[in-house]
C-alpha cells in the first residue's frame, strides 16, 4: 500500500480488525519510509458496477458519491455514523446484486427507501434534491406522506415541526 504522506511503496500492517457491521476490514498501517501511520479499509466488492445516467452516459460506480449524498441528507441530525455506514453498505450490496449496470433512478430509489426508515428529515432533504422540488407544496406533500407512514423514529424536534 502506497503511503499517502510520502508515496513510499511499502507499508507494514500494525493492526487489523473487522468494522462494526462486518462489511469491511480496518487496517492500521505504518509507512516503512517516513514512519507515518494511516488507516485503510478493505471491502468486499461483488462486481464492478457501471452507473447509467439519465442522458445515457455511463460511469463507474463511486461509493464515495453515495456516502456524500447520504451524509449530506443526514447532516446535523442525531444519527450515528455507523448507521449511515451500514445504510451505504446495504445499498451498495443491493445494487451489486442487480447486475453489472445500474440506473441512477435505481440508486436514488434505494437511498430514498433507506433514508425513510432511518430518519424522516434526512429522507425529505434527499427527496427535495432527488425529486427536484420547485415549490413549498412539494415539501408539504412529501411531509404528509411521511407523517402518515410508520417507519423511522422521530426525535422530539421533529414532533415540533
Amino acid at each position: 500500500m502506497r503511503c499517502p504522506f510520502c508515496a513510499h511503496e511499502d507499508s507494514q500492517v500494525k493492526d487489523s480488525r473487522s468494522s462494526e457491521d462486518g462489511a469491511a476490514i480496518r487496517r492500521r498501517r505504518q509507512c516503512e519510509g517516513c514512519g507515518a501511520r494511516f488507516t485503510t479499509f478493505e471491502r468486499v466488492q461483488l462486481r464492478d458496477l457501471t452507473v447509467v445516467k439519465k442522458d445515457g452516459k455511463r460511469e463507474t460506480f463511486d461509493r464515495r458519491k453515495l456516502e456524500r449524498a447520504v451524509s449530506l441528507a443526514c447532516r446535523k441530525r442525531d444519527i450515528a455514523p455507523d448507521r449511515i455506514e451500514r445504510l451505504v453498505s446495504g445499498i451498495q450490496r443491493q445494487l451489486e446484486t442487480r447486475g453489472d449496470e445500474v440506473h441512477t433512478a435505481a440508486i436514488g430509489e434505494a437511498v430514498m427507501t433507506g433514508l425513510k426508515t432511518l430518519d424522516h428529515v434526512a429522507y425529505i432533504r434527499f427527496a427535495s434534491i432527488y425529486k427536484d422540488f420547485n415549490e413549498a407544496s412539494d415539501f408539504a406533500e412529501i411531509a404528509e406522506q411521511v407523517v402518515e407512514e410508520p417507519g423511522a423514529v422521530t426525535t422530539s424536534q421533529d414532533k415540533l415541526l
Side-chain angles (χ1 to χ4, degrees):
M1 175 65 59
R2 183 180 305 233
C3 174
F5 302 104
C6 72
H8 190 269
E9 292 289 331
D10 295 320
S11 64
Q12 194 174 51
V13 175
K14 294 295 184 182
D15 180 42
S16 273
R17 61 178 71 157
S18 280
S19 65
E20 290 179 20
D21 65 353
I25 296 174
R26 177 185 178 272
R27 298 192 194 280
R28 283 296 288 162
R29 297 176 176 270
Q30 184 170 1
C31 175
E32 292 180 359
C34 68
R37 289 183 175 236
F38 56 98
T39 302
T40 60
F41 290 90
E42 193 175 301
R43 298 185 191 286
V44 172
Q45 183 174 334
L46 297 177
R47 60 182 62 178
D48 289 331
L49 282 177
T50 300
V51 177
V52 181
K53 303 268 194 168
K54 287 180 185 178
D55 63 3
K57 290 183 182 174
R58 287 171 162 64
E59 69 179 45
T60 304
F61 176 78
D62 186 355
R63 180 187 169 92
R64 291 177 305 220
K65 283 185 176 181
L66 180 60
E67 288 170 341
R68 268 194 310 270
V70 172
S71 294
L72 188 59
C74 295
R75 197 176 100 212
K76 294 187 180 182
R77 300 294 299 155
D78 190 21
I79 303 170
D82 64 311
R83 291 186 70 201
I84 294 171
E85 178 64 27
R86 277 193 305 250
L87 174 63
V88 170
S89 292
I91 292 169
Q92 183 178 4
R93 279 192 299 273
Q94 177 186 352
L95 296 173
E96 287 174 340
T97 60
R98 291 184 179 185
D100 292 336
E101 289 189 343
V102 62
H103 290 267
T104 54
I107 297 171
E109 291 303 321
V111 172
M112 295 269 293
T113 301
L115 285 175
K116 193 174 213 178
T117 60
L118 183 66
D119 184 83
H120 288 155
V121 173
Y123 168 75
I124 293 170
R125 283 179 179 167
F126 185 83
S128 71
I129 303 299
Y130 176 65
K131 301 278 188 183
D132 194 25
F133 288 1
N134 293 318
E135 299 178 16
S137 62
D138 296 335
F139 284 97
E141 251 178 65
I142 202 153
E144 282 179 30
Q145 292 172 5
V146 169
V147 169
E148 292 171 2
E149 290 183 28
V153 177
T154 56
T155 65
S156 57
Q157 285 181 322
D158 296 340
K159 293 175 184 172
L160 296 174
L161 298 177

